[in-house]
Amino acid sequence: MAETLEQDLTQQKLKEVKNALDSGMFIHVRRILQEMDPSDVALLFESTPTKGRAVLWQLVDPDLHGEILEELSEDVKDSIIRLMDPELVAAATEGMDTDDLANLLRGLPDSVYREILAQMDAQDRHRVEAALSYPEETAGAIMNTDTVTLRPDVTVDVILRYLRLKGELPEATDNLYVVNLRDELLGQVSLTTLVTANPSATIADVMDTGAEKIPADMEETEVAQMFERYNWISAPVVDDRGVLLGRITIDDVVDIIREDAEHSMMSMAGLDDEEDTFAPVLKSTKRRTVWLGINLLTALMAAFVSNLFEDTLAQMATLAVLMTIVPSMGGIAGSQTLTLVIRGMALGHIGDSNSRWLLGKEALIGLLNGLIWALLIAAVVAVWKQDIRVGAVIAFAMLVNMVCAGASGVMIPLLMKRMNIDPALAGGVVLTTITDVVGLFAFLGVATWLLL
């Protein structure tokens, strides 16, 4: 309900802004944009065709550029940055979180990226270069360096007075980190503990030394799983020597979870999860053509199997009418298993210890479903075509294909993961190919042997 209301409000704003632009009421548009939250402005940009974005960007308050860029999807962000001079991009990124800044610069051409770095002050440049030194989609790449550190021998009272003088804490701060002279992480102290502890106690007395640490090279999906499992708000990131590098906060993890969900959904259709809805026609066509070409190859493989039994199809037209049923049922059954397994892998539920059990379970489900639907379709076809042999052929083919689909739905993503291939991106195509080929071969092969 809330999401529908938000979408309606966005469309209303979009319509209001469009009408104002068409009427040349630029001051009115500027006023509308100033009254909106940066995240809402970003949503407005993503809902606006490409040509309108250039005009809107000129009307946005420059002080809000950085906050808006943080909220934009990658494709839209890149299109906006191309409209800006490097010094303006550097100004917009001032004060931006390290992880967001690094993410923004990763997608830029090398020449633009270096120009922007040259425009930054030394502190910001050092922060972003440190983040960029870690591989993309790792804890080091998504961490922030805005940590508050303490020494173990200082008293609670001194720390409380220090925090009052400081005046503010970084966003989503729930723990302060205790380090030694080499900046090695010793433990952490929650703000709750800090304000309730004896003021004369030392930090060493009240700190938690058993807190989990996140290695800088940990995959971001594993980080998200740990946050979900332990209900963290923030967590420290360390290098292989235990030196505190920064922290990851819950807002970053929410973005990871959302991006992973979008990636899985869009990859099933061969689309980039960051693709701009209003991208230019040629750009979108180029991206989709590759996937369509892959699907054409799988269709040609199915056609090749059908061609092997051309004589059989020529003699029995009934087979041509019925042969699409078997691959279709296998494809649906396999997609159900594939989706379940990819989700289980993403959540960390599936590994070497239970993959064989899962394979047996899904093959058995395929067998039971195959028996149910094979008997049903055999009865329907036998009555419809007045030929029990045709019913037996389609029943056998469906049973074989359903078992194959269940087993393939487990094996394909597991094998692809070992080969470092994203199962969400190509698993569906491979599965469709297998169910089409096996289904058609079983159906037409048995029909040739039994009926002719």
Side-chain angles (χ1 to χ4, degrees), residues 255-290:
D255 289 339
I256 293 168
I257 294 171
R258 178 180 56 80
E259 288 167 6
D260 282 349
E262 289 180 358
H263 174 73
S264 296
M265 180 182 69
M266 299 290 278
S267 292
M268 288 292 191
L271 297 173
D272 185 348
D273 53 304
E274 292 286 352
E275 183 168 352
D276 181 6
T277 306
F278 296 97
V281 172
L282 291 179
K283 185 177 181 181
S284 295
T285 302
K286 181 181 177 181
R287 285 178 170 177
R288 299 183 195 185
T289 297
V290 175

PDB file of all heavy atoms in Angstrom, residues 255-290:
ATOM      1  N   ASP A 255      21.229  -1.876   0.772  1.00  0.00           N
ATOM      2  CA  ASP A 255      21.487  -1.663  -0.658  1.00  0.00           C
ATOM      3  C   ASP A 255      21.974  -2.949  -1.323  1.00  0.00           C
ATOM      4  O   ASP A 255      21.573  -3.266  -2.450  1.00  0.00           O
ATOM      5  CB  ASP A 255      22.538  -0.564  -0.857  1.00  0.00           C
ATOM      6  CG  ASP A 255      22.004   0.820  -0.520  1.00  0.00           C
ATOM      7  OD1 ASP A 255      20.773   0.992  -0.521  1.00  0.00           O
ATOM      8  OD2 ASP A 255      22.818   1.719  -0.235  1.00  0.00           O
ATOM      9  N   ILE A 256      22.841  -3.694  -0.634  1.00  0.00           N
ATOM     10  CA  ILE A 256      23.358  -4.957  -1.187  1.00  0.00           C
ATOM     11  C   ILE A 256      22.235  -5.949  -1.393  1.00  0.00           C
ATOM     12  O   ILE A 256      22.131  -6.599  -2.443  1.00  0.00           O
ATOM     13  CB  ILE A 256      24.432  -5.554  -0.249  1.00  0.00           C
ATOM     14  CG1 ILE A 256      25.672  -4.667  -0.222  1.00  0.00           C
ATOM     15  CG2 ILE A 256      24.818  -6.966  -0.692  1.00  0.00           C
ATOM     16  CD1 ILE A 256      26.646  -5.033   0.885  1.00  0.00           C
ATOM     17  N   ILE A 257      21.368  -6.088  -0.382  1.00  0.00           N
ATOM     18  CA  ILE A 257      20.255  -7.035  -0.471  1.00  0.00           C
ATOM     19  C   ILE A 257      19.326  -6.657  -1.616  1.00  0.00           C
ATOM     20  O   ILE A 257      18.890  -7.510  -2.395  1.00  0.00           O
ATOM     21  CB  ILE A 257      19.492  -7.073   0.869  1.00  0.00           C
ATOM     22  CG1 ILE A 257      20.389  -7.666   1.967  1.00  0.00           C
ATOM     23  CG2 ILE A 257      18.211  -7.882   0.738  1.00  0.00           C
ATOM     24  CD1 ILE A 257      19.823  -7.541   3.357  1.00  0.00           C
ATOM     25  N   ARG A 258      19.026  -5.362  -1.723  1.00  0.00           N
ATOM     26  CA  ARG A 258      18.136  -4.903  -2.804  1.00  0.00           C
ATOM     27  C   ARG A 258      18.776  -5.149  -4.175  1.00  0.00           C
ATOM     28  O   ARG A 258      18.116  -5.630  -5.105  1.00  0.00           O
ATOM     29  CB  ARG A 258      17.832  -3.422  -2.626  1.00  0.00           C
ATOM     30  CG  ARG A 258      16.950  -2.821  -3.719  1.00  0.00           C
ATOM     31  CD  ARG A 258      16.684  -1.342  -3.481  1.00  0.00           C
ATOM     32  NE  ARG A 258      17.909  -0.577  -3.361  1.00  0.00           N
ATOM     33  CZ  ARG A 258      18.640  -0.173  -4.396  1.00  0.00           C
ATOM     34  NH1 ARG A 258      18.288  -0.494  -5.631  1.00  0.00           N
ATOM     35  NH2 ARG A 258      19.735   0.535  -4.211  1.00  0.00           N
ATOM     36  N   GLU A 259      20.067  -4.840  -4.286  1.00  0.00           N
ATOM     37  CA  GLU A 259      20.767  -5.032  -5.567  1.00  0.00           C
ATOM     38  C   GLU A 259      20.834  -6.506  -5.945  1.00  0.00           C
ATOM     39  O   GLU A 259      20.696  -6.853  -7.125  1.00  0.00           O
ATOM     40  CB  GLU A 259      22.169  -4.432  -5.489  1.00  0.00           C
ATOM     41  CG  GLU A 259      22.178  -2.915  -5.487  1.00  0.00           C
ATOM     42  CD  GLU A 259      23.521  -2.341  -5.087  1.00  0.00           C
ATOM     43  OE1 GLU A 259      24.482  -3.137  -4.927  1.00  0.00           O
ATOM     44  OE2 GLU A 259      23.629  -1.112  -4.939  1.00  0.00           O
ATOM     45  N   ASP A 260      21.068  -7.383  -4.951  1.00  0.00           N
ATOM     46  CA  ASP A 260      21.114  -8.827  -5.226  1.00  0.00           C
ATOM     47  C   ASP A 260      19.755  -9.328  -5.717  1.00  0.00           C
ATOM     48  O   ASP A 260      19.685 -10.155  -6.637  1.00  0.00           O
ATOM     49  CB  ASP A 260      21.523  -9.602  -3.967  1.00  0.00           C
ATOM     50  CG  ASP A 260      23.020  -9.532  -3.703  1.00  0.00           C
ATOM     51  OD1 ASP A 260      23.745  -9.064  -4.598  1.00  0.00           O
ATOM     52  OD2 ASP A 260      23.454  -9.941  -2.611  1.00  0.00           O
ATOM     53  N   ALA A 261      18.683  -8.833  -5.093  1.00  0.00           N
ATOM     54  CA  ALA A 261      17.333  -9.246  -5.511  1.00  0.00           C
ATOM     55  C   ALA A 261      17.039  -8.770  -6.928  1.00  0.00           C
ATOM     56  O   ALA A 261      16.523  -9.531  -7.761  1.00  0.00           O
ATOM     57  CB  ALA A 261      16.299  -8.688  -4.541  1.00  0.00           C
ATOM     58  N   GLU A 262      17.414  -7.516  -7.228  1.00  0.00           N
ATOM     59  CA  GLU A 262      17.203  -6.989  -8.574  1.00  0.00           C
ATOM     60  C   GLU A 262      18.057  -7.733  -9.589  1.00  0.00           C
ATOM     61  O   GLU A 262      17.615  -8.016 -10.705  1.00  0.00           O
ATOM     62  CB  GLU A 262      17.538  -5.492  -8.606  1.00  0.00           C
ATOM     63  CG  GLU A 262      16.527  -4.618  -7.876  1.00  0.00           C
ATOM     64  CD  GLU A 262      16.906  -3.150  -7.933  1.00  0.00           C
ATOM     65  OE1 GLU A 262      17.969  -2.831  -8.512  1.00  0.00           O
ATOM     66  OE2 GLU A 262      16.153  -2.322  -7.400  1.00  0.00           O
ATOM     67  N   HIS A 263      19.294  -8.047  -9.184  1.00  0.00           N
ATOM     68  CA  HIS A 263      20.199  -8.757 -10.087  1.00  0.00           C
ATOM     69  C   HIS A 263      19.635 -10.127 -10.462  1.00  0.00           C
ATOM     70  O   HIS A 263      19.643 -10.508 -11.633  1.00  0.00           O
ATOM     71  CB  HIS A 263      21.568  -8.919  -9.422  1.00  0.00           C
ATOM     72  CG  HIS A 263      22.533  -9.743 -10.201  1.00  0.00           C
ATOM     73  ND1 HIS A 263      23.141  -9.300 -11.351  1.00  0.00           N
ATOM     74  CD2 HIS A 263      22.982 -11.013 -10.012  1.00  0.00           C
ATOM     75  CE1 HIS A 263      23.925 -10.245 -11.834  1.00  0.00           C
ATOM     76  NE2 HIS A 263      23.848 -11.295 -11.032  1.00  0.00           N
ATOM     77  N   SER A 264      19.133 -10.850  -9.465  1.00  0.00           N
ATOM     78  CA  SER A 264      18.577 -12.182  -9.723  1.00  0.00           C
ATOM     79  C   SER A 264      17.373 -12.093 -10.644  1.00  0.00           C
ATOM     80  O   SER A 264      17.225 -12.871 -11.587  1.00  0.00           O
ATOM     81  CB  SER A 264      18.181 -12.855  -8.403  1.00  0.00           C
ATOM     82  OG  SER A 264      19.316 -13.082  -7.606  1.00  0.00           O
ATOM     83  N   MET A 265      16.496 -11.125 -10.381  1.00  0.00           N
ATOM     84  CA  MET A 265      15.282 -10.980 -11.173  1.00  0.00           C
ATOM     85  C   MET A 265      15.609 -10.583 -12.615  1.00  0.00           C
ATOM     86  O   MET A 265      15.099 -11.176 -13.559  1.00  0.00           O
ATOM     87  CB  MET A 265      14.372  -9.930 -10.543  1.00  0.00           C
ATOM     88  CG  MET A 265      13.068  -9.699 -11.302  1.00  0.00           C
ATOM     89  SD  MET A 265      12.049  -8.417 -10.545  1.00  0.00           S
ATOM     90  CE  MET A 265      13.052  -6.957 -10.873  1.00  0.00           C
ATOM     91  N   MET A 266      16.488  -9.593 -12.771  1.00  0.00           N
ATOM     92  CA  MET A 266      16.801  -9.092 -14.111  1.00  0.00           C
ATOM     93  C   MET A 266      17.662 -10.085 -14.895  1.00  0.00           C
ATOM     94  O   MET A 266      17.522 -10.202 -16.115  1.00  0.00           O
ATOM     95  CB  MET A 266      17.526  -7.750 -14.003  1.00  0.00           C
ATOM     96  CG  MET A 266      16.721  -6.651 -13.327  1.00  0.00           C
ATOM     97  SD  MET A 266      15.335  -6.085 -14.320  1.00  0.00           S
ATOM     98  CE  MET A 266      16.158  -4.928 -15.408  1.00  0.00           C
ATOM     99  N   SER A 267      18.547 -10.789 -14.186  1.00  0.00           N
ATOM    100  CA  SER A 267      19.435 -11.739 -14.869  1.00  0.00           C
ATOM    101  C   SER A 267      18.659 -12.880 -15.502  1.00  0.00           C
ATOM    102  O   SER A 267      19.077 -13.433 -16.524  1.00  0.00           O
ATOM    103  CB  SER A 267      20.472 -12.292 -13.889  1.00  0.00           C
ATOM    104  OG  SER A 267      21.357 -11.285 -13.495  1.00  0.00           O
ATOM    105  N   MET A 268      17.536 -13.266 -14.881  1.00  0.00           N
ATOM    106  CA  MET A 268      16.714 -14.334 -15.443  1.00  0.00           C
ATOM    107  C   MET A 268      16.245 -13.982 -16.858  1.00  0.00           C
ATOM    108  O   MET A 268      15.986 -14.861 -17.675  1.00  0.00           O
ATOM    109  CB  MET A 268      15.501 -14.592 -14.552  1.00  0.00           C
ATOM    110  CG  MET A 268      15.851 -15.277 -13.238  1.00  0.00           C
ATOM    111  SD  MET A 268      16.407 -16.982 -13.480  1.00  0.00           S
ATOM    112  CE  MET A 268      16.416 -17.564 -11.788  1.00  0.00           C
ATOM    113  N   ALA A 269      16.131 -12.678 -17.119  1.00  0.00           N
ATOM    114  CA  ALA A 269      15.704 -12.232 -18.446  1.00  0.00           C
ATOM    115  C   ALA A 269      16.871 -11.721 -19.273  1.00  0.00           C
ATOM    116  O   ALA A 269      16.683 -11.149 -20.348  1.00  0.00           O
ATOM    117  CB  ALA A 269      14.650 -11.131 -18.314  1.00  0.00           C
ATOM    118  N   GLY A 270      18.107 -11.884 -18.750  1.00  0.00           N
ATOM    119  CA  GLY A 270      19.288 -11.453 -19.486  1.00  0.00           C
ATOM    120  C   GLY A 270      19.482  -9.958 -19.499  1.00  0.00           C
ATOM    121  O   GLY A 270      20.099  -9.409 -20.407  1.00  0.00           O
ATOM    122  N   LEU A 271      18.973  -9.253 -18.465  1.00  0.00           N
ATOM    123  CA  LEU A 271      19.087  -7.803 -18.403  1.00  0.00           C
ATOM    124  C   LEU A 271      20.026  -7.400 -17.282  1.00  0.00           C
ATOM    125  O   LEU A 271      20.173  -8.104 -16.285  1.00  0.00           O
ATOM    126  CB  LEU A 271      17.708  -7.166 -18.167  1.00  0.00           C
ATOM    127  CG  LEU A 271      16.670  -7.389 -19.272  1.00  0.00           C
ATOM    128  CD1 LEU A 271      15.315  -6.846 -18.835  1.00  0.00           C
ATOM    129  CD2 LEU A 271      17.103  -6.720 -20.570  1.00  0.00           C
ATOM    130  N   ASP A 272      20.649  -6.239 -17.443  1.00  0.00           N
ATOM    131  CA  ASP A 272      21.514  -5.677 -16.415  1.00  0.00           C
ATOM    132  C   ASP A 272      20.635  -5.076 -15.334  1.00  0.00           C
ATOM    133  O   ASP A 272      19.715  -4.304 -15.629  1.00  0.00           O
ATOM    134  CB  ASP A 272      22.403  -4.599 -17.054  1.00  0.00           C
ATOM    135  CG  ASP A 272      23.433  -4.047 -16.086  1.00  0.00           C
ATOM    136  OD1 ASP A 272      23.320  -4.328 -14.878  1.00  0.00           O
ATOM    137  OD2 ASP A 272      24.333  -3.327 -16.540  1.00  0.00           O
ATOM    138  N   ASP A 273      20.922  -5.405 -14.053  1.00  0.00           N
ATOM    139  CA  ASP A 273      20.092  -4.898 -12.964  1.00  0.00           C
ATOM    140  C   ASP A 273      20.207  -3.384 -12.805  1.00  0.00           C
ATOM    141  O   ASP A 273      19.368  -2.759 -12.166  1.00  0.00           O
ATOM    142  CB  ASP A 273      20.445  -5.581 -11.639  1.00  0.00           C
ATOM    143  CG  ASP A 273      21.932  -5.511 -11.321  1.00  0.00           C
ATOM    144  OD1 ASP A 273      22.716  -5.951 -12.162  1.00  0.00           O
ATOM    145  OD2 ASP A 273      22.289  -5.029 -10.242  1.00  0.00           O
ATOM    146  N   GLU A 274      21.258  -2.759 -13.375  1.00  0.00           N
ATOM    147  CA  GLU A 274      21.411  -1.316 -13.292  1.00  0.00           C
ATOM    148  C   GLU A 274      20.950  -0.625 -14.577  1.00  0.00           C
ATOM    149  O   GLU A 274      21.157   0.573 -14.745  1.00  0.00           O
ATOM    150  CB  GLU A 274      22.890  -0.964 -13.033  1.00  0.00           C
ATOM    151  CG  GLU A 274      23.398  -1.383 -11.664  1.00  0.00           C
ATOM    152  CD  GLU A 274      22.881  -0.509 -10.542  1.00  0.00           C
ATOM    153  OE1 GLU A 274      22.244   0.520 -10.832  1.00  0.00           O
ATOM    154  OE2 GLU A 274      23.087  -0.875  -9.374  1.00  0.00           O
ATOM    155  N   GLU A 275      20.315  -1.365 -15.474  1.00  0.00           N
ATOM    156  CA  GLU A 275      19.940  -0.778 -16.752  1.00  0.00           C
ATOM    157  C   GLU A 275      18.905   0.319 -16.575  1.00  0.00           C
ATOM    158  O   GLU A 275      17.929   0.186 -15.838  1.00  0.00           O
ATOM    159  CB  GLU A 275      19.388  -1.848 -17.702  1.00  0.00           C
ATOM    160  CG  GLU A 275      19.044  -1.282 -19.070  1.00  0.00           C
ATOM    161  CD  GLU A 275      18.768  -2.352 -20.102  1.00  0.00           C
ATOM    162  OE1 GLU A 275      18.981  -3.530 -19.808  1.00  0.00           O
ATOM    163  OE2 GLU A 275      18.329  -1.988 -21.209  1.00  0.00           O
ATOM    164  N   ASP A 276      19.136   1.411 -17.272  1.00  0.00           N
ATOM    165  CA  ASP A 276      18.242   2.566 -17.239  1.00  0.00           C
ATOM    166  C   ASP A 276      16.980   2.265 -18.050  1.00  0.00           C
ATOM    167  O   ASP A 276      17.061   1.908 -19.225  1.00  0.00           O
ATOM    168  CB  ASP A 276      18.995   3.774 -17.816  1.00  0.00           C
ATOM    169  CG  ASP A 276      18.159   5.038 -17.814  1.00  0.00           C
ATOM    170  OD1 ASP A 276      17.037   5.018 -17.267  1.00  0.00           O
ATOM    171  OD2 ASP A 276      18.628   6.049 -18.372  1.00  0.00           O
ATOM    172  N   THR A 277      15.815   2.418 -17.431  1.00  0.00           N
ATOM    173  CA  THR A 277      14.550   2.175 -18.120  1.00  0.00           C
ATOM    174  C   THR A 277      14.402   3.069 -19.345  1.00  0.00           C
ATOM    175  O   THR A 277      13.827   2.672 -20.358  1.00  0.00           O
ATOM    176  CB  THR A 277      13.363   2.428 -17.157  1.00  0.00           C
ATOM    177  OG1 THR A 277      13.552   1.650 -15.981  1.00  0.00           O
ATOM    178  CG2 THR A 277      12.042   2.054 -17.806  1.00  0.00           C
ATOM    179  N   PHE A 278      14.952   4.290 -19.257  1.00  0.00           N
ATOM    180  CA  PHE A 278      14.807   5.260 -20.344  1.00  0.00           C
ATOM    181  C   PHE A 278      16.110   5.437 -21.127  1.00  0.00           C
ATOM    182  O   PHE A 278      16.369   6.506 -21.678  1.00  0.00           O
ATOM    183  CB  PHE A 278      14.348   6.610 -19.776  1.00  0.00           C
ATOM    184  CG  PHE A 278      12.989   6.550 -19.136  1.00  0.00           C
ATOM    185  CD1 PHE A 278      12.861   6.388 -17.772  1.00  0.00           C
ATOM    186  CD2 PHE A 278      11.842   6.618 -19.900  1.00  0.00           C
ATOM    187  CE1 PHE A 278      11.616   6.319 -17.163  1.00  0.00           C
ATOM    188  CE2 PHE A 278      10.588   6.552 -19.320  1.00  0.00           C
ATOM    189  CZ  PHE A 278      10.471   6.403 -17.947  1.00  0.00           C
ATOM    190  N   ALA A 279      16.937   4.393 -21.150  1.00  0.00           N
ATOM    191  CA  ALA A 279      18.190   4.447 -21.910  1.00  0.00           C
ATOM    192  C   ALA A 279      17.897   4.597 -23.406  1.00  0.00           C
ATOM    193  O   ALA A 279      16.814   4.228 -23.876  1.00  0.00           O
ATOM    194  CB  ALA A 279      19.000   3.177 -21.663  1.00  0.00           C
ATOM    195  N   PRO A 280      18.857   5.137 -24.180  1.00  0.00           N
ATOM    196  CA  PRO A 280      18.648   5.275 -25.625  1.00  0.00           C
ATOM    197  C   PRO A 280      18.335   3.944 -26.296  1.00  0.00           C
ATOM    198  O   PRO A 280      18.771   2.881 -25.828  1.00  0.00           O
ATOM    199  CB  PRO A 280      20.006   5.828 -26.113  1.00  0.00           C
ATOM    200  CG  PRO A 280      20.584   6.505 -24.920  1.00  0.00           C
ATOM    201  CD  PRO A 280      20.130   5.714 -23.737  1.00  0.00           C
ATOM    202  N   VAL A 281      17.595   4.020 -27.401  1.00  0.00           N
ATOM    203  CA  VAL A 281      17.114   2.820 -28.086  1.00  0.00           C
ATOM    204  C   VAL A 281      18.266   1.907 -28.508  1.00  0.00           C
ATOM    205  O   VAL A 281      18.233   0.693 -28.272  1.00  0.00           O
ATOM    206  CB  VAL A 281      16.266   3.212 -29.326  1.00  0.00           C
ATOM    207  CG1 VAL A 281      15.923   1.985 -30.154  1.00  0.00           C
ATOM    208  CG2 VAL A 281      14.995   3.920 -28.886  1.00  0.00           C
ATOM    209  N   LEU A 282      19.291   2.478 -29.134  1.00  0.00           N
ATOM    210  CA  LEU A 282      20.391   1.656 -29.642  1.00  0.00           C
ATOM    211  C   LEU A 282      21.146   0.961 -28.514  1.00  0.00           C
ATOM    212  O   LEU A 282      21.540  -0.202 -28.630  1.00  0.00           O
ATOM    213  CB  LEU A 282      21.354   2.520 -30.462  1.00  0.00           C
ATOM    214  CG  LEU A 282      20.813   3.036 -31.806  1.00  0.00           C
ATOM    215  CD1 LEU A 282      21.853   3.898 -32.502  1.00  0.00           C
ATOM    216  CD2 LEU A 282      20.423   1.856 -32.705  1.00  0.00           C
ATOM    217  N   LYS A 283      21.329   1.648 -27.401  1.00  0.00           N
ATOM    218  CA  LYS A 283      22.030   1.068 -26.256  1.00  0.00           C
ATOM    219  C   LYS A 283      21.252  -0.109 -25.682  1.00  0.00           C
ATOM    220  O   LYS A 283      21.814  -1.182 -25.407  1.00  0.00           O
ATOM    221  CB  LYS A 283      22.235   2.144 -25.190  1.00  0.00           C
ATOM    222  CG  LYS A 283      23.065   1.682 -24.005  1.00  0.00           C
ATOM    223  CD  LYS A 283      23.279   2.828 -23.031  1.00  0.00           C
ATOM    224  CE  LYS A 283      24.126   2.381 -21.845  1.00  0.00           C
ATOM    225  NZ  LYS A 283      24.335   3.485 -20.874  1.00  0.00           N
ATOM    226  N   SER A 284      19.948   0.065 -25.512  1.00  0.00           N
ATOM    227  CA  SER A 284      19.113  -1.015 -24.975  1.00  0.00           C
ATOM    228  C   SER A 284      19.037  -2.181 -25.953  1.00  0.00           C
ATOM    229  O   SER A 284      19.059  -3.344 -25.551  1.00  0.00           O
ATOM    230  CB  SER A 284      17.703  -0.492 -24.679  1.00  0.00           C
ATOM    231  OG  SER A 284      17.731   0.476 -23.651  1.00  0.00           O
ATOM    232  N   THR A 285      18.948  -1.859 -27.246  1.00  0.00           N
ATOM    233  CA  THR A 285      18.871  -2.908 -28.274  1.00  0.00           C
ATOM    234  C   THR A 285      20.128  -3.770 -28.260  1.00  0.00           C
ATOM    235  O   THR A 285      20.057  -5.006 -28.333  1.00  0.00           O
ATOM    236  CB  THR A 285      18.686  -2.284 -29.664  1.00  0.00           C
ATOM    237  OG1 THR A 285      17.496  -1.491 -29.670  1.00  0.00           O
ATOM    238  CG2 THR A 285      18.576  -3.362 -30.731  1.00  0.00           C
ATOM    239  N   LYS A 286      21.284  -3.114 -28.148  1.00  0.00           N
ATOM    240  CA  LYS A 286      22.557  -3.837 -28.140  1.00  0.00           C
ATOM    241  C   LYS A 286      22.622  -4.823 -26.982  1.00  0.00           C
ATOM    242  O   LYS A 286      23.034  -5.969 -27.138  1.00  0.00           O
ATOM    243  CB  LYS A 286      23.696  -2.831 -28.059  1.00  0.00           C
ATOM    244  CG  LYS A 286      25.085  -3.469 -28.080  1.00  0.00           C
ATOM    245  CD  LYS A 286      26.165  -2.405 -27.973  1.00  0.00           C
ATOM    246  CE  LYS A 286      27.544  -3.041 -27.930  1.00  0.00           C
ATOM    247  NZ  LYS A 286      28.617  -2.016 -27.803  1.00  0.00           N
ATOM    248  N   ARG A 287      22.191  -4.396 -25.802  1.00  0.00           N
ATOM    249  CA  ARG A 287      22.251  -5.252 -24.624  1.00  0.00           C
ATOM    250  C   ARG A 287      21.324  -6.458 -24.764  1.00  0.00           C
ATOM    251  O   ARG A 287      21.662  -7.564 -24.375  1.00  0.00           O
ATOM    252  CB  ARG A 287      21.865  -4.449 -23.379  1.00  0.00           C
ATOM    253  CG  ARG A 287      22.954  -3.495 -22.904  1.00  0.00           C
ATOM    254  CD  ARG A 287      22.498  -2.708 -21.705  1.00  0.00           C
ATOM    255  NE  ARG A 287      23.618  -1.977 -21.106  1.00  0.00           N
ATOM    256  CZ  ARG A 287      23.488  -1.155 -20.073  1.00  0.00           C
ATOM    257  NH1 ARG A 287      22.297  -0.960 -19.539  1.00  0.00           N
ATOM    258  NH2 ARG A 287      24.539  -0.533 -19.571  1.00  0.00           N
ATOM    259  N   ARG A 288      20.138  -6.227 -25.308  1.00  0.00           N
ATOM    260  CA  ARG A 288      19.159  -7.307 -25.362  1.00  0.00           C
ATOM    261  C   ARG A 288      19.433  -8.269 -26.516  1.00  0.00           C
ATOM    262  O   ARG A 288      19.039  -9.432 -26.470  1.00  0.00           O
ATOM    263  CB  ARG A 288      17.751  -6.714 -25.483  1.00  0.00           C
ATOM    264  CG  ARG A 288      17.394  -5.843 -24.294  1.00  0.00           C
ATOM    265  CD  ARG A 288      15.991  -5.322 -24.365  1.00  0.00           C
ATOM    266  NE  ARG A 288      15.803  -4.216 -23.413  1.00  0.00           N
ATOM    267  CZ  ARG A 288      14.650  -3.628 -23.181  1.00  0.00           C
ATOM    268  NH1 ARG A 288      13.568  -4.018 -23.827  1.00  0.00           N
ATOM    269  NH2 ARG A 288      14.559  -2.640 -22.318  1.00  0.00           N
ATOM    270  N   THR A 289      20.099  -7.784 -27.564  1.00  0.00           N
ATOM    271  CA  THR A 289      20.369  -8.628 -28.722  1.00  0.00           C
ATOM    272  C   THR A 289      21.236  -9.823 -28.363  1.00  0.00           C
ATOM    273  O   THR A 289      21.020 -10.937 -28.860  1.00  0.00           O
ATOM    274  CB  THR A 289      21.056  -7.796 -29.827  1.00  0.00           C
ATOM    275  OG1 THR A 289      20.150  -6.768 -30.255  1.00  0.00           O
ATOM    276  CG2 THR A 289      21.417  -8.660 -31.019  1.00  0.00           C
ATOM    277  N   VAL A 290      22.206  -9.614 -27.485  1.00  0.00           N
ATOM    278  CA  VAL A 290      23.095 -10.705 -27.077  1.00  0.00           C
ATOM    279  C   VAL A 290      22.295 -11.844 -26.462  1.00  0.00           C
ATOM    280  O   VAL A 290      22.461 -13.020 -26.810  1.00  0.00           O
ATOM    281  CB  VAL A 290      24.147 -10.188 -26.066  1.00  0.00           C
ATOM    282  CG1 VAL A 290      24.984 -11.344 -25.553  1.00  0.00           C
ATOM    283  CG2 VAL A 290      25.028  -9.138 -26.716  1.00  0.00           C
TER     284      VAL A 290
END
